[in-house]
Amino acid sequence: MRLLFATIEPCPTFRPDVAALFGKFLPRFGVTSDLVAERAPGVAGEVSWGGGEALLISSRGGRSGRYAANLLHYALTLLRADRAKYQAIQVRDMPLVALLGLLAARLKKLPFFYWMSFPTPEGQIMLARKRGLSAGLMRYLLPLIWRGWIHLFLLYRIVLPRADHVFVQSDRMREDLERKGIARQKLTPVVMGVDLEVSVPERIAPADDARLRGKRVLVYLGTMARGRRIEILFDMLRLVRQQFPDVLLLMVGEAEDELQEKWLRKRADEAGVADATLWTGWLPNQEAWRYVRAAEVGLAPYPRGPLLDSGSPTKVLEYLALGIPVVANDNPDQERVLREGGGGLCVPHTARDFAQAVSRLLVDEPLRRAMASSGQSYVRASRGYQTLAKLVADKYAELLHAQ
């Protein structure tokens, strides 16, 4: 099977549900994909895409010009799809491009699939309302009306009802779409996973950083975007420090901009824990994982809400794959992973609840070891991308057989 696959992420992408699932593991089951995308900024020359061909556009100029050029690239590539070459057209997280893909699929008499990793129109509406008019009229109206309300109509009134199948991010997202009138049999959840061929703790030595010696190390790995509300970790650290004065919080990752990083550092200072917080900045995966391997507990705060509840966070899976027990809050997918896998403690998204759970793990080494082992076994059995790719490949085969 060969897909023509349009994605919102520039190529090459570090999104594992694109790079690992479609670029590495699905081809092993006979599912290849030609990727239609924008070339990632700063990437010159030929781009290697493990899933098939990379059909890229190098956009230049201002935001509106790039948007128009990209849309034209998607439209022409999809509408020129060769029916003899492809068995299906698939679009990820782009309602307007999906409308073009749906049209192309009907003209070519090919199945059309939509891959929904996030409810993007609702996210744009939320962004606009949170931003208000402070950033200017157009930066308020564009996400609210065009990328919000109009794309909302396209997605739920045209694209999803007429798609031959929809792959969603989680069981919760399937439930949300069912409530919007999309038939359950058209919805297949594909949760996030881990590439177990690279995330091998036995091959990843803990970071040899003098600043970690003699410390009880906690680690937060990943984005520090405003919406994640990771500032609760500083208040958590202040509470944990009362019982464990040698505790150290590792912040491995980067903020979305300099303003956000300054704000987070200020919050750590206000909580009185700046001297117990170590910021590494962005690191390549292998180097970041070395710092995770040096920690005793992995932290995974992920705020609750109608949009984020439909997500399938990867942080917990990465910690568990690397043999680190986790303290996470009760996002539905995180709660399921920890309940089924026994790899950590699941608590409400508050500093006090996180602090109590962390302290419980720090004081009980046998419990930490047991949870680390149990969680790692669970991830290896059910959340490796080799396993998930087999499920997706089987679903594609079933869908094509039914055509």
Side-chain angles (χ1 to χ4, degrees):
M1 177 183 180
R2 192 176 190 91
L3 291 169
L4 184 60
F5 184 18
T7 72
I8 192 171
E9 292 84 7
C11 183
T13 176
F14 296 103
R15 281 281 307 193
D17 51 343
V18 178
L21 182 58
F22 283 90
K24 182 177 180 180
F25 289 100
L26 275 171
R28 299 179 186 180
F29 295 98
V31 179
T32 57
S33 52
D34 290 351
L35 201 67
V36 188
E38 181 182 7
R39 180 185 294 270
V43 176
E46 185 176 349
V47 175
S48 175
W49 164 244
E53 295 181 53
L55 309 174
L56 308 181
I57 180 173
S58 299
S59 301
R60 294 181 177 85
R63 181 175 299 183
S64 58
R66 285 179 54 210
Y67 179 82
N70 288 350
L71 185 59
L72 181 62
H73 172 65
Y74 284 120
L76 292 177
T77 308
L78 291 170
L79 291 170
R80 290 171 179 168
D82 184 349
R83 189 175 186 277
K85 183 176 183 180
Y86 299 110
Q87 282 69 58
I89 292 175
Q90 179 170 286
V91 176
R92 173 184 166 98
D93 289 338
M94 295 183 289
L96 180 57
V97 176
L99 181 64
L100 298 171
L102 180 63
L103 174 62
R106 294 299 175 259
L107 290 173
K108 308 288 181 176
K109 295 183 169 52
L110 290 171
F112 174 77
F113 307 139
Y114 190 75
W115 193 283
M116 186 168 172
S117 74
F118 187 74
T120 51
E122 293 94 324
Q124 290 294 313
I125 292 169
M126 179 179 288
L127 172 66
R129 288 173 175 167
K130 186 182 237 183
R131 180 185 284 167
L133 292 170
S134 61
L137 183 63
M138 289 307 298
R139 293 198 69 193
Y140 170 68
L141 293 178
L142 185 63
L144 180 67
I145 298 176
W146 174 242
R147 295 176 184 158
W149 294 340
I150 293 175
H151 282 201
L152 196 74
F153 174 83
L154 293 178
L155 183 63
Y156 295 112
R157 295 297 182 90
I158 301 175
V159 172
L160 297 187
R162 290 167 176 79
D164 294 289
H165 204 73
V166 182
F167 294 90
V168 296
Q169 187 71 86
S170 64
D171 290 334
R172 174 61 67 90
M173 186 180 285
R174 178 170 61 183
E175 294 168 7
D176 292 343
L177 293 186
E178 282 187 83
R179 284 192 287 270
K180 293 179 184 292
I182 309 302
R184 183 180 180 88
Q185 63 268 23
K186 284 179 57 171
L187 304 169
T188 296
V190 183
V191 292
M192 296 296 285
V194 179
D195 183 349
L196 297 173
E197 295 179 356
V198 296
S199 184
V200 183
E202 294 80 9
R203 300 180 198 161
I204 303 171
D208 184 16
D209 188 324
R211 297 170 294 181
L212 309 184
R213 291 172 193 158
K215 301 294 186 180
R216 307 298 301 274
V217 180
L218 315 176
V219 64
Y220 172 83
L221 170 69
T223 180
M224 300 180 190
R226 291 171 176 82
R228 295 303 173 88
R229 291 171 49 200
I230 62 171
E231 62 270 16
I232 72 160
L233 297 180
F234 306 127
D235 293 323
M236 172 217 72
L237 185 59
R238 175 176 52 82
L239 296 172
V240 172
R241 209 177 181 187
Q242 295 171 9
Q243 185 176 356
F244 301 94
D246 56 350
V247 71
L248 177 72
L249 174 61
L250 272 175
M251 302 292 287
V252 183
E254 63 180 349
E256 54 197 333
D257 52 45
E258 186 178 349
L259 189 65
Q260 172 67 359
E261 181 175 341
K262 286 181 177 178
W263 184 82
L264 286 172
R265 288 178 179 267
K266 183 181 178 184
R267 285 290 293 112
D269 188 56
E270 290 171 348
V273 296
D275 61 326
T277 306
L278 178 60
W279 309 77
T280 71
W282 180 86
L283 294 172
N285 275 344
Q286 290 291 327
E287 188 63 23
W289 291 341
R290 292 188 65 207
Y291 278 96
V292 174
R293 292 274 290 127
E296 295 183 65
V297 180
L299 304 170
Y302 196 89
R304 299 293 307 273
L307 299 189
L308 291 177
D309 276 1
S310 67
S312 175
T314 58
K315 204 180 318 297
V316 168
L317 305 174
E318 289 184 279
Y319 294 144
L320 296 179
L322 293 170
I324 306 297
V326 177
V327 173
N329 70 287
D330 50 349
N331 161 274
D333 192 57
Q334 290 191 155
E335 188 277 332
R336 174 188 172 187
V337 168
L338 295 181
R339 171 171 42 83
E340 295 180 353
L345 301 174
C346 188
V347 298
H349 189 268
T350 72
R352 184 166 298 279
D353 286 296
F354 263 70
Q356 290 174 348
V358 166
S359 297
R360 180 183 169 192
L361 288 177
L362 289 180
V363 81
D364 193 338
E365 183 176 359
L367 179 62
R368 290 200 309 275
R369 290 183 179 276
M371 286 186 164
S373 176
S374 179
Q376 189 176 62
S377 297
Y378 173 82
V379 169
R380 288 176 173 174
S382 62
R383 288 297 187 104
Y385 271 116
Q386 177 81 5
T387 300
L388 295 174
K390 177 67 164 60
L391 297 175
V392 175
D394 288 347
K395 175 54 72 170
Y396 280 138
E398 175 190 321
L399 292 169
L400 291 185
H401 182 72
Q403 292 298 313

